[in-house]
Amino acid sequence: MTRRTLLVGAGAGVLGVLLASCTPEPAPSPTPTPTPTPRPTGGAISPAAFARSAWTTDPFSLGAASFTPVGTQQSAREALAEPVEDRLFLAGEATDAEAPGTIDAALRSGDRAAEDVLRVAGTGERIAVIGAGLAGAAATARLVSAGAEVMVFEARDRVGGRVQSVVDEKTWPVPAQLGGWLLGAADAEMLAQLTRLDIRSATVSTSSWRSAEGAVDAVSDEPVRAAIDAGQQRPADVSLADALAEAGVDVEDAGLAALLAAVSSASGSDADDASTWFPPALPPTERTAPLGDLGAVLDDLLDGARVSLSSPVSRVAYDDAGVSLGIATGESLSFDRVVITVPLGVLKGEGLQFAPALPFSHRGAIAELGMGRIETVWMRFEESPFAVAADPSGDAVEASPAPEATAGVWHVVGGDALIRTWIDLSPVTGETVVVGIVGGEDAQTFAELDDTEVLEAAVTSLAPFLATP
Ligand SMILES: Cc1cc2nc3c(=O)[nH]c(=O)nc-3n(C[C@H](O)[C@H](O)[C@H](O)COP(=O)(O)OP(=O)(O)OC[C@H]3O[C@@H](n4cnc5c(N)ncnc54)[C@H](O)[C@@H]3O)c2cc1C
């Protein structure tokens, strides 16, 4: 295919449609959205507000965060990040070997892909970015700042991808974050964005561990660290679960299960699948929780680009002269170079076709890397049904947030809770807001539940923390 045929394929009429489509149009999109508060069928407590995610089944993510399965080399990510004929440049959290599956990775990958494009692009070239999540937005910002003309195609009717702030002041005291939001010390770029855009944040630090019998001792992560260290000395990679078993750790222990659930809720992978050579991050003692609309970060990065919402790309045809993008609505448009930031889950599926197929090295990496599952549920209660506040002393939550207040993490130990990791935002919002986060197989189960079932599972999971279990 030559550049000429690409241009003929696009056609002037289609370009007109493209320009028209720069204005966001309301269109049905299978994106996770806040749902009306379902009434519990038989439970004793009922939240005043409820929102849940379903990233695992969403066709534009098909999972939450990439992970490195046992036996896979981190170099698969470097292979995925290799430019294809200097026409296709893959970005997105899965292409980052440093901290895959994170906000930090997404931003860094976008910057890296943009630099790769700028190294080879000539003046006045037409550049497209597929996906308006953090990676696509970061790439766009860098390209626009270098003077490039950039067109962004986003499948959903909103920007942000796996970052989604539900802003509804009547319902939530702070935006409900249905995707990625918690930051660590390494998230320097995002933390700087929050400061620059004046987005308030809180520290998440204290931890409470409770079983049906009441408070239990905090579970140490030392055995998990030791098992990972031992796994890293072995001649071949072993799974985290196998490394724990080989170290003589009781993997059925309820406390360890609660700790591993917290690990899954951040990585999306279970201990059976996780590598010890490239292990999931263990829960840090302190994190930062943004309390504002993360959409502002996306808007800021995308400033100056044309963004076409509700425009899923279904086909990428490329040769040494250019790239033709087929949009699911039927149009076809030509570009000189394209940055592709769709999630690994989408690359693994059938939704985006490449002609010719991506090189073996890319397809091998896509097949080898794992797409982890993470889901979340937010609930707000008019009156606190909980026996404990984030303060481990058990003091009542203050009516208004104290400036030095920190959010707490609740761990559910034992029983058959589906959601074992909770963040109590009450101390920092002044209202009773709790956020359940679940990863791995349990997240798959969660994603397949309807809203009423999620609500029931959430309330049941919280039983050890309720005043009246
Ligand atoms: C529930 C959950 C909790 C998380 N928690 C954290 C956390 O606490 N801390 C952290 O650092 N990270 C967290 N993450 C991970 C973090 O959110 C992601 O790593 C990051 O947002 C990925 O950004 P991205 O730009 O690579 O991908 P995405 O944000 O997924 O962007 C890709 C974009 O491509 C679009 N797209 C898909 N297919 C097409 C197509 N065919 N055509 C056009 N557009 C398409 C999508 O709609 C999307 O907008 C979490 C993720 C989830 C889901």
Side-chain angles (χ1 to χ4, degrees), residues 64 92-93 101-103 106 131 133-135 154-156 161-162 180 182 313 341 343:
E93 55 80 9
T102 64
I103 284 171
L134 283 173
E154 167 53 50
R156 295 186 174 103
R162 282 171 275 167
L182 297 171
V313 175
T341 75

Side-chain angles (χ1 to χ4, degrees), residues 14 62 74 101 107 113 128 166 187 189 206 229 238 243 268-269 271 274-275 346 351 360 363 429 467:
V14 179
L62 293 172
Q74 202 73 316
L107 288 170
V166 178
D187 286 277
E189 190 174 345
T206 54
D229 284 349
V238 291
S269 64
S275 159
V346 172
F360 286 133
R363 278 182 279 159
T429 62

